[in-house]
Amino acid sequence: MSTASLLRFSLSPPNSSLRRHEFLPLHHKPRRGVLPNLPKLHTFPRISSKAIEFETSNKLQLQEKTAQEESNSTVLLDVSGMMCGACVTRVKSIISADERVESAVVNMLTETAAIKLKEGAGEDFSAVADDLAKKVSASGFDARLRVSGMGVEAKVRKWRETVEKKEALLVKSRNRVAFAWTLVALCCGSHASHILHSVGIHVGHGSFFDILHNSYVKGGLALGSLLGPGRDLLFDGLNALRKGSPNMNSLVGFGAIAAFAISSVSLLNPELQWNAAFFDEPVMLLGFILLGRSLEERARIKASSDMNELLSLISTTSRLVIAPSGSDVSSDSVLCSDAMCIEVPTDDIRVGDSILVLPGETIPVDGKVRAGRSVVDESMLTGESLPVFKEEGLSVSAGTINWDGPLRIEASSTGSNSTISKIVNMVEDAQGREAPIQRLADSIAGPFVYSVMTLSAATFAFWYYIGTHIFPDVLLNDIAGPDGNSLLLSMKLAVDVLVVSCPCALGLATPTAILVGTSLGAKQGLLIRGGDVLERLSGIDYITLDKTGTLTEGRPTVSAVTSLGHEQSEILQIAAAVEKTASHPLAKAIIAKAESLNLNIPSTRGQLAEPGSGTLAEVDGLLVAVGKLSWVCERFQQRTNVSDIKKLEQSLVHQSADYSSSNHSRTIVYVGREGEGVVGAISISDNLRHDAESTITRLQQKGIRTVLLSGDREEAVAAVAKLVGVEDEFVNGSLTPQKKSDVISSLQASGHRVAMVGDGINDAPSLALADVGIALQIDGQENAASNASSIILLGNKLSQVVEAIDLARATMSKVRQNLTWAVAYNVVAIPMAAGVLLPHFDFAMTPSLSGGMMAMSSIFVVTNSLLLQFHGPQKTKEKSETSIPSL
């Protein structure tokens, strides 16, 4: 049996009388004597390539199966009532304590808990989720299973209801703040005459000021403050404490009640001679706390504004066009005279339906333009501010806005599967994935409340029993009252410790920055899959890039065809036949050239593709191989002389002289046929991306090494590397997908953090292996590259790689700033509140001042994260000229 016979044998269909699997070395060892005339040198490479194909296919199938299983075993809970990092830790510990749970992530801002169940948890995941929700609810947090499979309209409605609910709570919070500060003004009104006197305004004491100065009136105002605007805060804190999960409200409530209780006992029992009536402190404390909460809630809503803007791009209704059967609808007319337009929910649109989009409307689904001409604003998806011209045959995406003229679109996706819907889903998932740095905050926030309560008790005990005896001068401070009461001083300092501590800042430090960062990335056309991705990307020091479709535009064209004794059209015909079902850009270029010449493409029998090398098929009874020279020669017994190969290459260079400019990349594909060896070659040229060179330069300026990995010829890869500025030592050509992965693995083994940028199926293994996989989404289509990547560049611009790194570094910088502030604030503020400066500097904080500082701490963290919204992509000096055809 000859080599060609063995190849044809491997291409036999499964129902053939030949048993194809007997020749797979993955299962059977070759036996000597079976094929006596088979040349060993040419046979085994063919068999190994077959094994590589099955291995790659199995890996991709395994990855898809694993991803599907993970998706099926993950449930989402909506959890409300979380106030601070301690609440998050409590909810997470309740869920993780269940033996059926493998891992859990809880996000306070989005009020969600993502739970991954173990394999043995059973098939009824919803029942397990309901059980977990009941456990969480029993601990004081309202939890329920999130309804899955919601359509576009339901999702938008749910989000709008959530926003309206938050805005209603904000209005209620403002009313509470107004009420609380009215009580503050009344309670502190007795001091107004003294304040006015200090600025030179003399007001006589009247009956009104005398009433406000009455201790019983102050007590009534304090009680009104506790049971009025502070009621929800107090009850929530006490319930959380009763259920064993104290939160920020517990500390504030306990401090306010303690201050009120001591003041009441002192007032109602004058024989004790405590002189410890300070009713104005709990009133001012609650006033500052509620003001801070209101400002913080407003900032949180502002942090979610980018997500609201994304959801506003989803159109819940569509204008369905129904034309009578047999009617002639030309591409020149958007609507025929007897067509009917019906407004239907976007969820009811099916693939193939015709949709009418008028000027100023949002395109509801992904599709292709079948009639009309207009310009479309795609800035919310790609980050590109200039509108894009659309006419018949061009693709449009849901969420983009039609500007000028009406368009008739044929739907290619349903509403829930449209580009904008997937973006929203991925952004929601990303905001629910915590960055590893968040674990530091969680580890601190967990025992924080109990630690603060212990410190408060210790502060009271120290100053009451020891401190005032060691430092008697501290009783002269105003905090001890006019009579220098040690009980009053000890009590106020203990309350200070309770109130000044701020676990909220720790809990908000990471989620707020991740929320703003991922939402901002989506607005800039950067789809980031989670906070953990941002953290890894910020530390990248090596970036590996594919060549075709990544550094080049990915729209190659055939620039020359040459052959050895055959017509050029015949070479194109058999090459196009072999590549007809392939998805690689080079294959599409060959097919497009053959179709443009109206060549008759013959049918094939069987097909075998080896990513990164070539494709093999049987055409007109003969095996034909198309791909790299070495790979094509290995398919057959080589009969082509080296001199003939050189002639082919020289002829190609001469024919493609027009494509030899500096902005073109040239690749040679060889064609071999059974019994003849190499019979021809095809030169394919591809333009370099206009931002390729500037992107490489900017990456290198940031201290990031760039590595070029390509399956193309080493000469072609080296030429492109020279044009864009990649150093020679980091240029790798003629690589298989496995060898690309090996390069990345070796860099990781050396301690480097590696990102991979690619666009095709042959890049999928490397994208999955790298610390961060970055895929360019071409023509808005998903592929194996985008599925395996951590970041998707919706704008299909290489410069977005730099923008993603800048955003990641800016986001993680905010996270570190927030965590540093949160930790430093508590480290400094708690000792100050405990009176550490009192003996030597005569400085002590009051409960109201402590409450104000605590509120401002949380506001600082949220506001600092909001500053990310001013982060924008750096503009390069290069300007690309974009022209829009006249309509």
Side-chain angles (χ1 to χ4, degrees):
M1 183 181 293
S2 65
T3 305
S5 300
L6 180 60
L7 292 175
R8 185 180 288 104
F9 190 84
S10 67
L11 291 173
S12 301
N15 58 357
S16 172
S17 59
L18 300 174
R19 299 186 63 186
R20 175 180 175 181
H21 66 274
E22 291 180 356
F23 287 83
L24 293 180
L26 292 175
H27 305 286
H28 299 275
K29 295 181 179 179
R31 293 172 292 175
R32 293 186 179 182
V34 177
L35 304 172
N37 299 324
L38 187 62
K40 181 177 179 180
L41 178 63
H42 301 292
T43 303
F44 284 101
R46 179 67 202 102
I47 295 178
S48 65
S49 67
K50 182 67 177 177
I52 290 174
E53 185 216 5
F54 275 99
E55 182 183 4
T56 304
S57 177
N58 290 338
K59 281 182 178 179
L60 291 175
Q61 292 176 1
L62 181 61
Q63 290 175 356
E64 293 176 359
K65 182 179 179 182
T66 302
Q68 183 67 27
E69 290 176 351
E70 289 181 354
S71 175
N72 293 337
S73 63
T74 302
V75 294
L76 282 177
L77 297 182
D78 290 320
V79 184
S80 59
M82 294 183 290
M83 303 298 299
C84 60
C87 301
V88 173
T89 304
R90 177 64 176 166
V91 172
K92 186 174 181 179
S93 63
I94 293 171
I95 296 173
S96 301
D98 195 293
E99 59 183 8
R100 296 166 296 184
V101 175
E102 180 175 333
S103 61
V105 176
V106 182
N107 190 294
M108 178 176 64
L109 286 178
T110 57
E111 297 184 332
T112 56
I115 307 168
K116 184 177 180 181
L117 302 177
K118 294 180 180 178
E119 294 182 359
E123 295 297 329
D124 192 1
F125 293 133
S126 61
V128 178
D130 288 334
D131 186 35
L132 293 173
K134 291 178 181 177
K135 290 183 179 180
V136 175
S137 298
S139 299
F141 306 95
D142 185 18
R144 62 191 63 187
L145 177 64
R146 176 174 294 184
V147 180
S148 61
M150 288 191 298
V152 171
E153 187 174 4
K155 179 179 284 293
V156 173
R157 184 173 61 251
K158 178 181 179 297
W159 188 271
R160 286 176 179 169
E161 289 174 353
T162 302
V163 173
E164 290 174 359
K165 179 182 176 183
K166 289 182 178 180
E167 290 177 347
L169 290 175
L170 183 60
V171 173
K172 185 179 179 182
S173 176
R174 288 172 180 168
N175 293 336
R176 282 200 303 262
V177 170
F179 186 13
W181 277 92
T182 301
L183 294 176
V184 170
L186 292 174
C187 194
C188 301
S190 59
H191 306 294
S193 60
H194 301 291
I195 297 174
L196 294 174
H197 180 74
S198 64
V199 296
I201 302 175
H202 302 284
V203 179
H205 289 274
S207 58
F208 178 73
F209 287 105
D210 291 338
I211 293 174
L212 293 180
H213 193 67
N214 186 281
S215 296
Y216 288 96
V217 173
K218 286 187 176 182
L221 293 173
L223 182 62
S225 179
L226 291 173
L227 298 181
R231 180 184 56 194
D232 293 341
L233 183 150
L234 295 179
F235 286 172
D236 178 77
L238 293 176
N239 287 332
L241 184 62
R242 179 175 57 85
K243 293 181 179 181
S245 55
N247 55 21
M248 188 66 241
N249 288 345
S250 302
L251 295 178
V252 174
F254 190 73
I257 291 174
F260 179 80
I262 293 294
S263 300
S264 299
V265 172
S266 175
L267 178 64
L268 298 175
N269 298 278
E271 68 275 5
L272 297 176
Q273 296 182 351
W274 283 5
N275 294 322
F278 52 104
F279 289 110
D280 53 342
E281 292 294 352
V283 177
M284 293 182 66
L285 167 62
L286 290 175
F288 277 116
I289 294 296
L290 292 175
L291 176 61
R293 290 284 173 82
S294 179
L295 294 175
E296 179 185 328
E297 187 63 31
R298 182 179 179 183
R300 289 192 195 183
I301 294 176
K302 178 65 176 175
S304 304
S305 62
D306 288 336
M307 176 61 80
N308 297 338
E309 197 168 349
L310 283 175
L311 281 163
S312 68
L313 297 176
I314 298 180
S315 177
T316 57
T317 59
S318 302
R319 194 174 283 103
L320 179 63
V321 178
I322 303 176
S325 301
S327 62
D328 184 18
V329 182
S330 65
S331 60
D332 295 332
S333 60
V334 177
L335 281 177
C336 60
S337 58
D338 50 356
M340 180 184 298
C341 287
I342 304 175
E343 286 195 5
V344 298
T346 302
D347 293 325
D348 294 343
I349 298 298
R350 298 292 178 261
V351 175
D353 286 347
S354 290
I355 310 296
L356 176 65
V357 183
L358 299 179
E361 293 183 342
T362 300
I363 297 176
V365 295
D366 297 340
K368 284 193 174 183
V369 177
R370 292 307 180 199
R373 305 175 79 197
S374 182
V375 290
V376 174
D377 180 7
E378 298 182 342
S379 58
M380 283 301 297
L381 297 182
T382 65
E384 179 59 55
S385 58
L386 293 177
V388 181
F389 176 71
K390 299 294 182 181
E391 61 180 352
E392 182 187 3
L394 297 180
S395 299
V396 291
S397 298
T400 57
I401 301 174
N402 180 26
W403 274 9
D404 285 349
L407 294 174
R408 178 162 52 84
I409 299 168
E410 180 181 326
S412 61
S413 70
T414 60
S416 58
N417 291 324
S418 64
T419 301
I420 187 64
S421 296
K422 291 178 180 177
I423 291 174
V424 170
N425 291 335
M426 291 183 68
V427 172
E428 284 183 330
D429 293 341
Q431 293 171 353
R433 289 173 59 177
E434 63 180 3
I437 197 172
Q438 174 67 18
R439 297 168 192 163
L440 171 64
D442 291 343
S443 64
I444 299 174
F448 187 88
V449 176
Y450 287 112
S451 301
V452 170
M453 295 174 72
T454 303
L455 286 173
S456 177
T459 299
F460 177 84
F462 172 78
W463 285 110
Y464 188 70
Y465 293 106
I466 302 174
T468 53
H469 300 290
I470 299 176
F471 308 106
D473 291 342
V474 298
L475 296 176
L476 300 176
N477 191 281
D478 292 340
I479 195 174
D483 300 328
N485 193 316
S486 61
L487 175 64
L488 180 60
L489 180 141
S490 303
M491 190 64 210
K492 282 190 175 182
L493 292 178
V495 172
D496 285 345
V497 172
L498 285 175
V499 175
V500 80
S501 59
C502 188
C504 288
L506 283 169
L508 293 170
T510 302
T512 51
I514 298 299
L515 174 70
V516 177
T518 51
S519 298
L520 182 61
K523 287 182 63 177
Q524 296 177 357
L526 308 172
L527 204 49
I528 303 167
R529 295 187 186 270
D532 53 335
V533 176
L534 285 171
E535 184 170 350
R536 293 198 304 270
L537 183 62
S538 64
I540 290 298
D541 58 352
Y542 269 79
I543 284 190
T544 57
L545 304 101
D546 181 39
K547 180 180 73 72
T548 304
T550 302
L551 289 178
T552 63
E553 292 181 350
R555 298 184 182 90
T557 57
V558 174
S559 57
V561 180
T562 188
S563 64
L564 296 174
H566 296 275
E567 294 290 334
Q568 293 182 1
S569 59
E570 183 181 357
I571 300 299
L572 265 179
Q573 279 180 306
I574 61 176
V578 173
E579 300 283 18
K580 193 166 187 179
T581 59
S583 59
H584 194 277
L586 299 182
K588 293 180 179 179
I590 294 175
I591 296 169
K593 183 66 174 179
E595 291 176 346
S596 67
L597 297 176
N598 295 322
L599 298 179
N600 182 26
I601 301 178
S603 59
T604 60
R605 178 175 175 268
Q607 189 178 54
L608 187 65
E610 184 174 332
S613 295
T615 308
L616 178 75
E618 184 176 329
V619 182
D620 296 334
L622 297 175
L623 292 176
V624 177
V626 181
K628 296 193 297 186
L629 177 61
S630 58
W631 187 84
V632 171
C633 291
E634 288 176 354
R635 303 311 98 188
F636 315 108
Q637 295 181 3
Q638 184 174 348
R639 297 184 179 180
T640 309
N641 297 325
V642 176
S643 59
D644 292 334
I645 299 295
K646 289 183 178 180
K647 289 180 181 179
L648 283 175
E649 295 177 351
Q650 291 174 357
S651 177
L652 289 176
V653 171
H654 178 72
Q655 291 185 40
S656 58
D658 295 338
Y659 291 84
S660 59
S661 60
S662 60
N663 63 338
H664 283 80
S665 167
R666 188 167 60 89
T667 300
I668 298 179
V669 174
Y670 293 87
V671 181
R673 187 156 57 183
E674 180 182 350
E676 299 179 68
V678 176
V679 295
I682 302 174
S683 176
I684 300 176
S685 299
D686 193 3
N687 292 333
L688 284 178
R689 292 179 180 267
H690 71 277
D691 56 355
E693 184 178 358
S694 62
T695 298
I696 298 298
T697 301
R698 292 169 65 189
L699 289 173
Q700 292 171 348
Q701 289 174 348
K702 294 180 181 295
I704 300 174
R705 297 288 185 88
T706 53
V707 181
L708 185 55
L709 307 177
S710 177
D712 202 353
R713 296 178 306 115
E714 294 183 359
E715 297 84 359
V717 177
V720 171
K722 185 177 181 180
L723 291 174
V724 299
V726 177
E727 300 176 15
D728 293 340
E729 59 180 312
F730 298 123
V731 178
N732 301 271
S734 301
L735 298 181
T736 63
Q738 182 60 45
K739 289 182 179 179
K740 289 183 181 180
S741 299
D742 291 342
V743 173
I744 293 175
S745 297
S746 63
L747 290 172
Q748 291 173 327
S750 301
H752 299 291
R753 293 187 178 183
V754 185
M756 171 69 187
V757 185
D759 69 311
I761 187 172
N762 60 321
D763 300 322
S766 300
L767 290 168
L769 177 64
D771 295 290
V772 178
I774 305 175
L776 292 103
Q777 184 161 311
I778 300 176
D779 296 331
Q781 300 296 319
E782 288 189 357
N783 53 32
S786 58
N787 291 334
S789 62
S790 307
I791 299 175
I792 302 175
L793 308 182
L794 299 177
N796 190 25
K797 295 183 293 185
L798 194 61
S799 58
Q800 287 184 301
V801 174
V802 183
E803 295 172 10
I805 294 174
D806 287 340
L807 179 61
R809 291 182 174 180
T811 302
M812 296 314 300
S813 176
K814 290 298 180 185
V815 170
R816 285 187 284 270
Q817 290 172 16
N818 291 344
L819 286 175
T820 301
W821 165 261
V823 174
Y825 165 81
N826 286 287
V827 168
V828 173
I830 291 178
M832 287 177 59
V836 71
L837 300 179
L838 188 57
H840 300 292
F841 298 95
D842 195 33
F843 175 81
M845 297 167 59
T846 62
S848 55
L849 176 60
S850 300
M853 288 182 60
M854 186 276 291
M856 293 307 298
S857 175
S858 297
I859 294 172
F860 173 86
V861 167
V862 178
T863 305
N864 188 46
S865 297
L866 284 175
L867 293 178
L868 263 178
Q869 293 183 332
F870 296 100
H871 172 84
Q874 296 180 359
K875 303 297 182 183
T876 57
K877 294 182 180 180
E878 298 180 7
K879 295 182 180 179
S880 58
E881 297 181 356
T882 304
S883 58
I884 302 175
S886 58
L887 299 179

